[in-house]
Amino acid sequence: GLRRGLAIGVLAALHLGALAVMLWSEPDLIGKAAFLLAWGILNALWLLLLRRPAASAALAMTMLMLLIALSVFKHDVLFMTVSFTVVLVVDTDTLWFLFDTFTDLGWYATVAAVIVAPLLVVTFWLDPLRVRARTALVGLIVCFALLAGLSFAVPLDREEEFIRNRFLSKFARSGAVAAVDLLTRGILEADARA
């Protein structure tokens, strides 16, 4: 009854919010397609783990907002946005350096966590809808395969790193290329099988 209707409303609002972010941040058709595929990957990944669509969409939206905040922050400091490779090299020393250098960052992170965590718990609790793990896995595989194909068919331009938009599509396309390269070449090119 009421819980189901509320969960569907929250789910629709989150997906509409993601659509609004896409329209705001992605200026071209390729970017919009990559954004939608990446949004599908994030949702399918959380669905695979939680099986609750509203909670999965809420976590995907949280990750999207975090990526945009980090990209804007990095662009303000280095005139570049966040790519997948950047996430691979972050360690605890890097995080402590950031918190020491930008003293307000810890405060903002704490406030955001205090606000977002209860909302995620309530969304998880209210969500009576369920998705099969097999369905989520198929969605994850299909979205990743399409994103990887798009990423290789229309490669990223190096200069796009310096433009303050396309946050999710650039990150996702760089991640798809890195994942395929890792699977086919290994971590170092010397690791590749001849």
Side-chain angles (χ1 to χ4, degrees), residues 59-70:
L59 285 165
M61 181 61 84
T62 302
M63 292 177 75
L64 174 61
M65 292 295 108
L66 181 62
L67 175 66
I68 289 173
L70 290 173

Side-chain angles (χ1 to χ4, degrees), residues 30 34 147 151 154-156 160 168-177:
I30 299 298
L147 180 63
S151 300
V154 185
L156 283 170
E160 287 181 8
L168 181 58
S169 66
K170 281 190 286 191
F171 181 83
R173 289 168 68 193
S174 69
V177 169

Side-chain angles (χ1 to χ4, degrees), residues 81-121:
T81 56
V82 173
S83 69
F84 187 77
T85 320
V86 169
V87 174
L88 292 178
V89 297
V90 171
D91 61 359
T92 54
D93 291 335
T94 306
L95 292 175
W96 287 121
F97 172 77
L98 281 174
F99 285 128
D100 287 342
T101 306
F102 302 98
T103 54
D104 290 342
L105 190 60
W107 171 249
Y108 292 139
T110 302
V111 169
V114 165
I115 293 170
V116 169
L119 291 174
L120 290 174
V121 169

